[in-house]
Coordinates of all heavy atoms in Angstrom, one line a residue:
M25 N 14.5 20.7 23.5 CA 13.7 20.0 22.6 C 14.3 18.8 22.0 O 14.4 18.4 20.9 CB 13.3 21.0 21.4 CG 12.3 22.0 21.8 SD 10.7 21.4 22.4 CE 9.8 21.2 20.8
K26 N 15.1 18.1 22.9 CA 15.8 16.9 22.5 C 15.1 15.6 22.9 O 15.4 14.5 22.5 CB 17.3 16.8 22.9 CG 18.2 17.6 22.0 CD 19.6 17.7 22.5 CE 20.5 18.6 21.7 NZ 21.7 18.9 22.4
K27 N 14.1 15.9 23.7 CA 13.3 14.7 24.3 C 12.5 13.9 23.3 O 12.5 12.7 23.4 CB 12.4 15.3 25.3 CG 13.1 15.5 26.7 CD 12.9 14.5 27.7 CE 13.9 14.5 28.8 NZ 13.4 15.4 29.9
P28 N 11.8 14.5 22.3 CA 11.0 13.7 21.4 C 11.4 12.4 20.9 O 10.7 11.5 20.8 CB 10.7 14.7 20.2 CG 10.8 16.0 20.9 CD 11.9 15.9 21.9
T29 N 12.8 12.4 20.5 CA 13.3 11.1 20.0 C 13.3 9.9 21.1 O 12.8 8.9 20.7 CB 14.7 11.3 19.5 OG1 15.3 12.3 20.2 CG2 14.7 11.7 18.0
S30 N 13.7 10.2 22.3 CA 13.6 9.2 23.3 C 12.3 8.9 23.7 O 11.9 7.7 23.9 CB 14.4 9.7 24.5 OG 13.9 10.8 25.0
Q31 N 11.4 9.9 23.6 CA 9.9 9.7 23.8 C 9.4 8.8 22.8 O 8.6 7.8 23.1 CB 9.2 11.0 23.9 CG 8.0 11.0 24.8 CD 7.4 12.3 24.9 OE1 7.8 13.3 24.4 NE2 6.3 12.5 25.6
Q32 N 9.7 9.1 21.6 CA 9.2 8.2 20.4 C 9.7 6.8 20.6 O 9.0 5.9 20.3 CB 9.8 8.9 19.1 CG 9.1 10.0 18.6 CD 8.0 9.7 17.6 OE1 8.1 8.8 16.8 NE2 6.8 10.2 17.8
N33 N 10.9 6.6 21.0 CA 11.4 5.3 21.2 C 10.7 4.5 22.3 O 10.4 3.3 22.2 CB 13.0 5.3 21.5 CG 13.7 5.6 20.4 OD1 13.3 5.4 19.2 ND2 15.0 6.1 20.6
A34 N 10.4 5.3 23.4 CA 9.6 4.7 24.5 C 8.2 4.2 23.9 O 7.7 3.2 24.2 CB 9.4 5.7 25.6
L35 N 7.6 5.1 23.2 CA 6.3 4.8 22.6 C 6.4 3.6 21.7 O 5.4 2.8 21.6 CB 5.7 6.1 21.8 CG 5.2 7.2 22.7 CD1 4.9 8.4 21.9 CD2 4.0 6.8 23.5
K36 N 7.4 3.6 20.9 CA 7.6 2.5 19.9 C 7.8 1.2 20.7 O 7.3 0.2 20.3 CB 9.0 2.8 19.2 CG 9.4 1.7 18.3 CD 8.8 1.9 16.8 CE 9.3 0.9 15.9 NZ 9.3 -0.6 16.3
F37 N 8.4 1.3 21.9 CA 8.5 0.1 22.7 C 7.1 -0.4 23.2 O 6.9 -1.6 23.2 CB 9.4 0.5 23.9 CG 9.6 -0.7 25.0 CD1 10.4 -1.8 24.5 CD2 9.1 -0.7 26.2 CE1 10.6 -2.8 25.3 CE2 9.3 -1.8 27.0 CZ 10.1 -2.8 26.6
V38 N 6.3 0.6 23.5 CA 4.9 0.2 23.9 C 4.2 -0.5 22.8 O 3.6 -1.5 23.0 CB 4.2 1.4 24.4 CG1 2.7 1.2 24.6 CG2 4.7 2.0 25.7
C39 N 4.4 0.1 21.6 CA 3.8 -0.5 20.4 C 4.3 -1.9 20.1 O 3.5 -2.8 19.7 CB 4.0 0.4 19.2 SG 3.0 1.9 19.2
D40 N 5.6 -2.1 20.3 CA 6.2 -3.4 20.1 C 5.6 -4.5 21.1 O 5.4 -5.6 20.7 CB 7.7 -3.3 20.3 CG 8.4 -2.7 19.1 OD1 7.8 -2.6 18.1 OD2 9.5 -2.3 19.3
L41 N 5.2 -3.9 22.3 CA 4.7 -4.8 23.3 C 3.2 -5.2 23.0 O 2.8 -6.3 23.0 CB 4.8 -4.2 24.6 CG 6.1 -4.4 25.5 CD1 6.1 -3.7 26.8 CD2 6.3 -5.9 25.7
I42 N 2.4 -4.1 22.8 CA 1.0 -4.3 22.8 C 0.4 -4.1 21.3 O -0.8 -4.3 21.1 CB 0.2 -3.4 23.7 CG1 0.5 -1.9 23.5 CG2 0.5 -3.7 25.2 CD1 -0.4 -1.0 24.2
G43 N 1.3 -3.7 20.4 CA 0.8 -3.5 19.1 C 0.5 -2.1 18.7 O 0.1 -1.3 19.6
H44 N 0.6 -1.7 17.5 CA 0.2 -0.3 17.0 C -1.2 -0.1 17.1 O -2.0 -1.0 17.0 CB 0.7 -0.1 15.6 CG 2.2 -0.2 15.5 ND1 3.1 0.9 15.8 CD2 3.1 -1.1 14.9 CE1 4.3 0.5 15.6 NE2 4.3 -0.7 15.0
R45 N -1.5 1.2 17.3 CA -3.0 1.5 17.3 C -3.2 2.4 16.0 O -3.1 3.7 16.1 CB -3.4 2.2 18.5 CG -3.7 1.2 19.7 CD -4.1 1.9 20.9 NE -2.9 2.6 21.6 CZ -3.1 3.4 22.6 NH1 -4.3 3.6 23.2 NH2 -2.0 3.8 23.2
Y46 N -3.4 1.8 14.9 CA -3.6 2.5 13.6 C -5.0 3.2 13.4 O -6.0 2.6 13.8 CB -3.3 1.6 12.5 CG -1.9 1.2 12.4 CD1 -1.5 -0.2 12.7 CD2 -0.9 2.0 12.0 CE1 -0.2 -0.6 12.6 CE2 0.5 1.6 11.9 CZ 0.7 0.3 12.2 OH 2.0 -0.2 12.2
E47 N -4.9 4.3 12.8 CA -6.2 4.9 12.5 C -6.0 5.5 11.0 O -4.9 5.8 10.7 CB -6.7 6.0 13.4 CG -5.8 7.1 13.5 CD -6.4 8.2 14.5 OE1 -7.5 7.9 15.1 OE2 -5.9 9.3 14.5
V48 N -7.0 5.6 10.2 CA -6.9 6.0 8.9 C -6.6 7.5 8.8 O -7.2 8.2 9.5 CB -8.2 5.8 8.1 CG1 -8.1 6.3 6.7 CG2 -8.6 4.3 8.0
S49 N -5.4 7.7 8.2 CA -4.9 9.1 8.2 C -5.3 9.8 6.9 O -5.3 11.0 6.7 CB -3.5 9.3 8.5 OG -2.7 8.4 7.7
K50 N -5.5 8.9 5.8 CA -5.8 9.4 4.5 C -6.5 8.4 3.7 O -6.0 7.2 3.6 CB -4.5 9.9 3.8 CG -4.7 10.7 2.6 CD -3.3 11.2 2.1 CE -3.5 12.1 0.9 NZ -4.4 13.3 1.1
N51 N -7.5 8.8 3.0 CA -8.2 7.9 1.9 C -7.5 8.3 0.6 O -7.7 9.4 0.1 CB -9.6 8.1 2.0 CG -10.3 7.5 3.2 OD1 -10.2 6.3 3.4 ND2 -11.0 8.3 3.9
V52 N -6.7 7.4 0.0 CA -6.1 7.7 -1.2 C -7.1 7.5 -2.4 O -7.4 8.3 -3.2 CB -4.8 6.9 -1.4 CG1 -4.2 7.2 -2.8 CG2 -3.9 7.1 -0.3
T53 N -7.7 6.2 -2.4 CA -8.8 5.8 -3.3 C -9.8 5.2 -2.4 O -9.6 5.0 -1.2 CB -8.3 5.0 -4.5 OG1 -8.0 3.7 -3.9 CG2 -7.0 5.6 -5.2
S54 N -10.8 4.6 -3.1 CA -11.8 3.9 -2.3 C -11.3 2.6 -1.6 O -11.8 2.3 -0.6 CB -13.0 3.5 -3.2 OG -12.5 2.8 -4.3
H55 N -10.2 2.1 -2.1 CA -9.6 0.9 -1.5 C -8.2 1.0 -1.0 O -7.7 0.1 -0.4 CB -9.9 -0.4 -2.3 CG -9.4 -0.2 -3.8 ND1 -10.1 0.4 -4.8 CD2 -8.2 -0.6 -4.3 CE1 -9.4 0.4 -5.8 NE2 -8.3 -0.1 -5.7
V56 N -7.6 2.1 -1.3 CA -6.2 2.4 -0.8 C -6.2 3.5 0.2 O -6.7 4.5 0.0 CB -5.3 2.7 -2.0 CG1 -3.8 3.0 -1.4 CG2 -5.2 1.7 -3.0
K57 N -5.7 3.2 1.4 CA -5.7 4.1 2.5 C -4.3 4.2 3.2 O -3.5 3.2 3.0 CB -6.7 3.6 3.5 CG -8.2 3.8 3.1 CD -9.1 3.2 4.1 CE -10.6 3.4 3.7 NZ -10.9 2.9 2.4
E58 N -4.1 5.3 3.9 CA -2.9 5.3 4.7 C -3.3 5.4 6.2 O -4.3 6.0 6.5 CB -2.2 6.7 4.3 CG -1.5 6.6 2.9 CD -0.8 7.9 2.6 OE1 -0.7 8.8 3.4 OE2 -0.4 8.0 1.4
Y59 N -2.6 4.6 6.9 CA -2.8 4.5 8.4 C -1.7 5.1 9.2 O -0.6 4.9 8.7 CB -3.0 3.1 8.7 CG -4.1 2.3 8.0 CD1 -3.9 1.7 6.8 CD2 -5.4 2.3 8.5 CE1 -4.9 1.1 6.0 CE2 -6.4 1.6 7.7 CZ -6.1 1.0 6.5 OH -7.1 0.3 5.8
T60 N -2.0 5.7 10.2 CA -1.0 6.3 11.2 C -1.2 5.7 12.5 O -2.4 5.7 13.0 CB -0.9 7.8 11.2 OG1 -0.7 8.2 9.9 CG2 0.3 8.3 12.0
C61 N -0.2 5.2 13.2 CA -0.4 4.8 14.5 C -0.5 5.9 15.5 O 0.4 6.9 15.5 CB 0.9 3.9 15.0 SG 0.9 3.5 16.7
K62 N -1.6 6.0 16.3 CA -1.8 7.1 17.2 C -0.7 7.2 18.2 O -0.5 8.2 18.8 CB -3.2 6.8 18.0 CG -4.4 7.0 17.1 CD -5.6 7.2 18.0 CE -6.2 5.9 18.4 NZ -7.4 6.0 19.1
C63 N 0.0 6.1 18.5 CA 1.0 6.0 19.5 C 2.4 6.5 19.0 O 2.9 7.4 19.7 CB 1.1 4.6 20.0 SG 1.3 4.5 21.8
C64 N 2.9 6.0 18.0 CA 4.3 6.3 17.7 C 4.4 6.9 16.2 O 5.5 7.1 15.8 CB 5.2 5.0 17.7 SG 4.7 3.8 16.4
N65 N 3.2 7.1 15.6 CA 3.2 7.8 14.3 C 3.7 6.9 13.1 O 4.1 7.3 12.1 CB 3.9 9.1 14.3 CG 3.1 10.2 14.9 OD1 1.9 10.2 14.9 ND2 3.8 11.2 15.6
H66 N 3.9 5.6 13.4 CA 4.3 4.7 12.4 C 3.2 4.6 11.4 O 2.0 4.6 11.6 CB 4.6 3.3 13.0 CG 5.1 2.3 11.9 ND1 4.3 1.3 11.3 CD2 6.4 2.2 11.5 CE1 5.1 0.7 10.5 NE2 6.4 1.2 10.5
Q67 N 3.6 4.6 10.0 CA 2.6 4.7 8.9 C 2.6 3.4 8.1 O 3.6 2.8 7.8 CB 2.8 5.9 8.1 CG 2.5 7.2 8.8 CD 2.6 8.4 7.9 OE1 3.7 8.7 7.4 NE2 1.6 9.1 7.8
L68 N 1.4 3.1 7.7 CA 1.1 1.9 6.8 C 0.3 2.4 5.7 O -0.4 3.3 5.7 CB 0.3 0.8 7.6 CG 1.0 -0.1 8.6 CD1 0.0 -1.0 9.1 CD2 2.2 -0.8 8.0
T69 N 0.3 1.5 4.6 CA -0.5 1.8 3.5 C -0.9 0.5 2.8 O -0.4 -0.6 3.1 CB 0.1 2.7 2.4 OG1 -0.9 3.1 1.5 CG2 1.3 2.1 1.7
T70 N -1.9 0.5 1.9 CA -2.4 -0.6 1.2 C -1.6 -0.8 0.0 O -1.4 0.2 -0.8 CB -3.8 -0.5 0.8 OG1 -4.5 0.2 1.9 CG2 -4.4 -1.9 0.6
D71 N -0.9 -1.9 -0.3 CA -0.2 -2.1 -1.5 C -1.0 -2.6 -2.7 O -2.3 -2.8 -2.4 CB 1.1 -3.0 -1.3 CG 0.7 -4.5 -1.0 OD1 -0.5 -4.9 -1.1 OD2 1.6 -5.3 -0.6
S72 N -0.4 -2.9 -3.8 CA -1.2 -3.2 -5.0 C -2.0 -4.5 -4.8 O -3.0 -4.8 -5.5 CB -0.4 -3.3 -6.2 OG 0.7 -4.2 -5.9
K73 N -1.6 -5.4 -3.8 CA -2.2 -6.7 -3.7 C -3.3 -6.6 -2.6 O -3.9 -7.5 -2.2 CB -1.2 -7.8 -3.3 CG -0.4 -8.1 -4.5 CD 0.7 -9.2 -4.0 CE 1.7 -9.3 -5.1 NZ 3.0 -9.1 -4.6
G74 N -3.4 -5.4 -2.0 CA -4.4 -5.2 -1.0 C -3.9 -5.5 0.5 O -4.6 -5.5 1.4
N75 N -2.6 -5.7 0.6 CA -2.0 -6.1 1.9 C -1.5 -4.8 2.5 O -1.2 -3.8 1.8 CB -0.8 -7.0 1.8 CG -1.2 -8.4 1.1 OD1 -2.3 -8.9 1.5 ND2 -0.4 -8.8 0.2
L76 N -1.4 -4.8 3.8 CA -0.8 -3.6 4.5 C 0.7 -3.7 4.5 O 1.3 -4.8 4.7 CB -1.3 -3.5 6.0 CG -2.8 -3.1 6.1 CD1 -3.2 -3.2 7.6 CD2 -3.1 -1.8 5.5
T77 N 1.3 -2.5 4.2 CA 2.8 -2.5 4.1 C 3.3 -1.1 4.6 O 2.4 -0.2 4.7 CB 3.3 -2.7 2.7 OG1 4.7 -2.7 2.7 CG2 2.8 -1.7 1.8
A78 N 4.5 -1.1 5.1 CA 5.1 0.2 5.7 C 5.0 1.3 4.6 O 5.3 1.0 3.4 CB 6.5 0.0 6.2
L79 N 4.6 2.5 5.0 CA 4.5 3.6 4.1 C 5.9 4.2 3.9 O 6.3 5.0 4.7 CB 3.5 4.6 4.7 CG 3.2 5.8 3.7 CD1 2.6 5.4 2.4 CD2 2.3 6.8 4.5
T80 N 6.6 3.7 2.9 CA 7.9 4.2 2.6 C 7.7 5.4 1.7 O 6.7 5.7 1.1 CB 8.7 3.1 1.8 OG1 8.0 2.8 0.7 CG2 8.9 1.9 2.7
P81 N 8.8 6.2 1.5 CA 8.7 7.3 0.6 C 8.3 7.0 -0.9 O 7.5 7.7 -1.4 CB 10.1 8.0 0.5 CG 10.7 7.6 1.9 CD 10.1 6.3 2.2
K82 N 8.7 5.8 -1.2 CA 8.2 5.3 -2.5 C 6.8 5.1 -2.6 O 6.1 5.5 -3.6 CB 9.0 4.0 -2.9 CG 8.9 3.6 -4.3 CD 9.5 2.2 -4.5 CE 9.0 1.5 -5.7 NZ 9.3 0.0 -5.6
Y83 N 6.2 4.4 -1.6 CA 4.8 4.2 -1.5 C 4.0 5.5 -1.4 O 2.9 5.7 -2.0 CB 4.4 3.3 -0.4 CG 4.4 1.8 -0.8 CD1 5.4 1.0 -0.3 CD2 3.4 1.4 -1.6 CE1 5.4 -0.4 -0.7 CE2 3.5 0.0 -2.1 CZ 4.5 -0.9 -1.5 OH 4.4 -2.2 -1.9
R84 N 4.6 6.5 -0.6 CA 3.9 7.8 -0.5 C 3.9 8.4 -1.9 O 2.7 9.0 -2.2 CB 4.8 8.6 0.5 CG 4.0 9.7 1.1 CD 4.9 10.5 1.9 NE 5.6 9.8 3.0 CZ 5.2 10.0 4.2 NH1 4.3 10.7 4.6 NH2 5.8 9.2 5.2
E85 N 4.9 8.3 -2.7 CA 4.8 8.9 -4.0 C 3.8 8.2 -4.9 O 3.0 8.9 -5.6 CB 6.3 8.8 -4.6 CG 6.6 9.8 -5.8 CD 7.9 9.5 -6.3 OE1 8.9 9.2 -5.5 OE2 8.0 9.4 -7.6
I86 N 3.8 6.9 -4.9 CA 2.8 6.1 -5.6 C 1.3 6.5 -5.2 O 0.5 6.7 -6.1 CB 3.0 4.6 -5.4 CG1 4.3 4.1 -6.0 CG2 1.8 3.8 -6.0 CD1 4.7 2.7 -5.6
N87 N 1.2 6.7 -3.9 CA -0.2 7.1 -3.4 C -0.5 8.4 -4.0 O -1.8 8.7 -4.3 CB -0.1 7.1 -1.8 CG -0.4 5.6 -1.4 OD1 -0.5 4.7 -2.1 ND2 -0.2 5.5 -0.1
R88 N 0.4 9.4 -4.0 CA 0.1 10.7 -4.5 C -0.4 10.6 -5.9 O -1.3 11.4 -6.3 CB 1.3 11.7 -4.3 CG 1.7 12.1 -3.0 CD 0.7 12.8 -2.2 NE -0.2 11.9 -1.5 CZ 0.1 11.4 -0.3 NH1 1.2 11.8 0.4 NH2 -0.7 10.6 0.4
I89 N 0.3 9.8 -6.7 CA -0.1 9.7 -8.1 C -1.5 9.0 -8.2 O -2.3 9.5 -9.0 CB 1.0 8.9 -8.9 CG1 2.4 9.6 -8.9 CG2 0.6 8.6 -10.3 CD1 3.5 8.8 -9.3
L90 N -1.6 7.9 -7.4 CA -2.9 7.2 -7.4 C -4.1 8.2 -7.1 O -5.1 8.2 -7.7 CB -2.9 6.2 -6.3 CG -2.6 4.8 -6.8 CD1 -2.6 3.9 -5.5 CD2 -3.7 4.2 -7.7
E91 N -3.8 9.0 -6.1 CA -4.8 10.0 -5.6 C -5.3 11.0 -6.7 O -6.4 11.2 -7.0 CB -4.3 10.8 -4.4 CG -5.3 11.5 -3.7 CD -4.7 12.4 -2.6 OE1 -3.4 12.6 -2.5 OE2 -5.4 12.9 -1.7
R92 N -4.2 11.4 -7.5 CA -4.4 12.4 -8.5 C -5.2 11.7 -9.7 O -6.2 12.3 -10.2 CB -3.1 12.9 -9.1 CG -3.1 14.3 -9.4 CD -1.7 14.8 -9.9 NE -0.7 14.5 -9.0 CZ 0.5 14.3 -9.3 NH1 1.0 14.4 -10.6 NH2 1.5 14.1 -8.3
V93 N -4.8 10.5 -10.0 CA -5.6 9.7 -11.1 C -7.0 9.5 -10.7 O -8.0 9.7 -11.4 CB -4.8 8.4 -11.4 CG1 -5.6 7.6 -12.4 CG2 -3.5 8.7 -12.0
Y94 N -7.2 9.0 -9.4 CA -8.5 8.7 -8.9 C -9.4 9.9 -8.9 O -10.5 9.8 -9.3 CB -8.3 8.2 -7.5 CG -9.6 7.7 -6.9 CD1 -10.2 6.6 -7.3 CD2 -10.1 8.4 -5.7 CE1 -11.4 6.2 -6.7 CE2 -11.2 8.0 -5.1 CZ -11.9 6.8 -5.6 OH -13.0 6.5 -4.9
N95 N -8.9 11.0 -8.4 CA -9.7 12.3 -8.3 C -10.0 12.8 -9.7 O -11.2 13.3 -9.9 CB -9.0 13.3 -7.5 CG -9.0 13.1 -6.1 OD1 -10.0 12.4 -5.6 ND2 -8.1 13.6 -5.3
S96 N -9.1 12.7 -10.7 CA -9.4 13.3 -12.0 C -10.4 12.4 -12.7 O -11.2 12.9 -13.4 CB -8.1 13.4 -12.8 OG -7.6 12.2 -13.2
R97 N -10.3 11.1 -12.4 CA -11.2 10.2 -13.0 C -12.7 10.5 -12.5 O -13.6 10.4 -13.2 CB -10.8 8.7 -12.8 CG -11.5 7.7 -13.8 CD -11.1 6.3 -13.5 NE -9.7 6.1 -13.8 CZ -9.0 5.0 -13.3 NH1 -9.6 4.1 -12.6 NH2 -7.7 4.9 -13.7
R98 N -12.7 10.6 -11.2 CA -14.0 11.0 -10.5 C -14.6 12.2 -11.0 O -15.8 12.3 -11.2 CB -13.7 11.1 -9.0 CG -14.2 9.8 -8.3 CD -14.6 10.0 -6.9 NE -13.9 11.2 -6.2 CZ -13.7 11.2 -5.0 NH1 -14.1 10.2 -4.2 NH2 -13.1 12.3 -4.4
M99 N -13.7 13.2 -11.2 CA -14.1 14.5 -11.8 C -14.7 14.3 -13.1 O -15.8 14.9 -13.4 CB -12.9 15.5 -11.8 CG -13.3 16.9 -11.6 SD -13.0 17.3 -9.9 CE -11.3 18.0 -10.1
R100 N -14.0 13.5 -14.0 CA -14.5 13.4 -15.3 C -15.8 12.7 -15.3 O -16.7 13.0 -16.2 CB -13.4 12.5 -16.1 CG -13.2 13.1 -17.5 CD -12.1 12.3 -18.2 NE -10.8 12.3 -17.5 CZ -9.9 11.3 -17.5 NH1 -10.2 10.2 -18.1 NH2 -8.8 11.3 -16.8
L101 N -16.0 11.7 -14.5 CA -17.3 10.9 -14.4 C -18.4 11.9 -14.0 O -19.5 11.8 -14.7 CB -17.2 9.9 -13.3 CG -16.6 8.5 -13.8 CD1 -16.5 7.6 -12.6 CD2 -17.5 7.9 -14.9
K102 N -18.1 12.8 -13.1 CA -19.1 13.8 -12.7 C -19.5 14.7 -13.9 O -20.7 14.9 -14.1 CB -18.5 14.7 -11.5 CG -19.4 14.6 -10.3 CD -18.9 15.5 -9.2 CE -18.2 14.8 -8.0 NZ -17.5 15.7 -7.1
E103 N -18.4 15.2 -14.6 CA -18.7 16.0 -15.7 C -19.6 15.4 -16.7 O -20.5 15.9 -17.3 CB -17.3 16.4 -16.4 CG -16.8 17.8 -16.0 CD -15.4 18.0 -16.5 OE1 -15.1 17.6 -17.6 OE2 -14.7 18.5 -15.7
K104 N -19.2 14.0 -17.0 CA -19.9 13.2 -18.0 C -21.4 13.2 -17.6 O -22.3 13.4 -18.5 CB -19.3 11.8 -18.0 CG -19.7 11.2 -19.3 CD -19.0 9.8 -19.3 CE -19.5 8.9 -20.5 NZ -19.1 7.5 -20.3
S105 N -21.7 12.9 -16.3 CA -23.2 12.7 -15.9 C -23.9 14.2 -16.1 O -25.0 14.3 -16.3 CB -23.2 12.1 -14.6 OG -22.7 13.0 -13.6
F106 N -23.1 15.2 -15.8 CA -23.6 16.5 -15.9 C -23.9 16.9 -17.3 O -25.1 17.3 -17.6 CB -22.6 17.5 -15.3 CG -23.0 19.0 -15.3 CD1 -24.0 19.4 -14.6 CD2 -22.4 19.9 -16.3 CE1 -24.4 20.7 -14.6 CE2 -22.7 21.2 -16.3 CZ -23.8 21.6 -15.4
T107 N -23.0 16.6 -18.2 CA -23.3 16.8 -19.6 C -24.4 16.0 -20.2 O -25.3 16.5 -20.9 CB -22.0 16.5 -20.5 OG1 -20.9 16.5 -19.7 CG2 -21.9 17.5 -21.7
S108 N -24.5 14.8 -19.7 CA -25.6 13.9 -20.2 C -26.9 14.4 -19.7 O -28.0 14.3 -20.4 CB -25.4 12.4 -20.0 OG -25.4 12.2 -18.6
S109 N -27.0 14.9 -18.5 CA -28.3 15.4 -18.0 C -28.7 16.6 -18.7 O -29.9 16.9 -19.0 CB -28.2 15.6 -16.5 OG -27.3 16.6 -16.2
I110 N -27.7 17.5 -19.1 CA -28.0 18.7 -20.0 C -28.5 18.3 -21.3 O -29.6 18.8 -21.8 CB -26.7 19.5 -20.2 CG1 -26.5 20.3 -18.9 CG2 -26.9 20.5 -21.3 CD1 -25.3 21.3 -19.0
Y111 N -27.9 17.2 -21.9 CA -28.3 16.7 -23.2 C -29.8 16.2 -23.1 O -30.6 16.4 -24.0 CB -27.4 15.5 -23.6 CG -27.7 15.0 -24.9 CD1 -27.3 15.7 -26.1 CD2 -28.1 13.7 -25.1 CE1 -27.6 15.2 -27.3 CE2 -28.4 13.1 -26.3 CZ -28.1 14.0 -27.4 OH -28.3 13.4 -28.7
E112 N -30.1 15.5 -22.0 CA -31.5 14.9 -21.8 C -32.4 16.1 -21.7 O -33.5 16.1 -22.3 CB -31.5 14.1 -20.5 CG -31.1 12.7 -20.8 CD -30.9 11.9 -19.5 OE1 -31.5 12.2 -18.5 OE2 -29.9 11.1 -19.5
L113 N -32.1 17.2 -21.0 CA -32.9 18.3 -20.9 C -33.2 19.0 -22.2 O -34.4 19.4 -22.5 CB -32.3 19.4 -20.0 CG -32.4 19.2 -18.5 CD1 -31.6 20.2 -17.7 CD2 -34.0 19.3 -18.1
R114 N -32.2 19.0 -23.1 CA -32.3 19.6 -24.5 C -33.3 18.7 -25.3 O -34.1 19.3 -26.1 CB -30.9 19.5 -25.1 CG -30.1 20.9 -25.0 CD -29.3 21.1 -26.0 NE -28.0 21.8 -25.7 CZ -26.8 21.4 -25.8 NH1 -26.6 20.3 -26.4 NH2 -25.9 22.2 -25.4
N115 N -33.2 17.4 -25.1 CA -34.1 16.5 -25.8 C -35.5 16.7 -25.5 O -36.4 16.6 -26.3 CB -33.7 15.0 -25.6 CG -32.7 14.6 -26.5 OD1 -32.3 15.3 -27.5 ND2 -32.1 13.4 -26.3
I116 N -35.7 17.0 -24.2 CA -37.1 17.2 -23.7 C -37.6 18.6 -24.3 O -38.7 18.7 -24.8 CB -37.2 17.2 -22.2 CG1 -36.8 15.9 -21.6 CG2 -38.6 17.7 -21.7 CD1 -36.4 15.9 -20.1
A117 N -36.7 19.6 -24.3 CA -37.1 20.9 -24.7 C -37.1 21.0 -26.3 O -37.9 20.6 -27.0 CB -36.1 22.0 -24.3
Ligands
ZN213 ZN1 2.8 2.5 17.0

């Protein structure tokens, strides 16, 4: 099982030649995504300016926090609309 590293290097070489083939590996928020190269597993993410940048451990951490904030905000919005619809029902009744 010592082959993967040299194989990865060979794949990386192909990517250097013809370019990475990225696909979305994770939706962090509606406009921040993580991309992984199908070929060599190189990862990219969207930075705060909307540009693509290498997914470093620091960015990965930022994304995890963003994801948590984004999801909890979405959850709260859902709760809010749920409560207001109950309130409307009460008004009718
Ligand atoms: Zn690649």
Side-chain angles (χ1 to χ4, degrees):
M25 289 300 271
K26 274 177 186 165
K27 282 257 163 85
T29 29
S30 59
Q31 209 176 357
Q32 282 268 316
N33 284 339
L35 288 171
K36 175 89 173 49
F37 181 68
V38 172
C39 285
D40 284 341
L41 272 180
I42 59 169
H44 295 285
R45 280 183 284 173
Y46 293 109
E47 60 177 15
V48 175
S49 53
K50 191 173 183 58
N51 286 303
V52 181
T53 71
S54 56
H55 52 277
V56 176
K57 291 173 176 57
E58 288 176 8
Y59 304 86
T60 304
C61 174
K62 283 198 278 186
C63 217
C64 67
N65 289 325
H66 185 258
Q67 291 185 299
L68 286 182
T69 189
T70 324
D71 69 10
S72 54
K73 290 177 193 125
N75 300 317
L76 289 177
T77 183
L79 184 62
T80 59
K82 192 185 157 198
Y83 270 111
R84 204 184 295 258
E85 204 184 312
I86 292 171
N87 282 354
R88 291 299 87 85
I89 296 166
L90 262 178
E91 189 184 16
R92 220 178 303 152
V93 172
Y94 182 71
N95 283 336
S96 69
R97 198 181 293 167
R98 261 207 327 206
M99 210 99 94
R100 224 178 299 149
L101 276 176
K102 237 184 249 171
E103 260 170 42
K104 202 179 167 191
S105 65
F106 180 68
T107 340
S108 65
S109 60
I110 284 185
Y111 185 71
E112 278 165 32
L113 276 174
R114 268 207 209 126
N115 271 353
I116 296 165

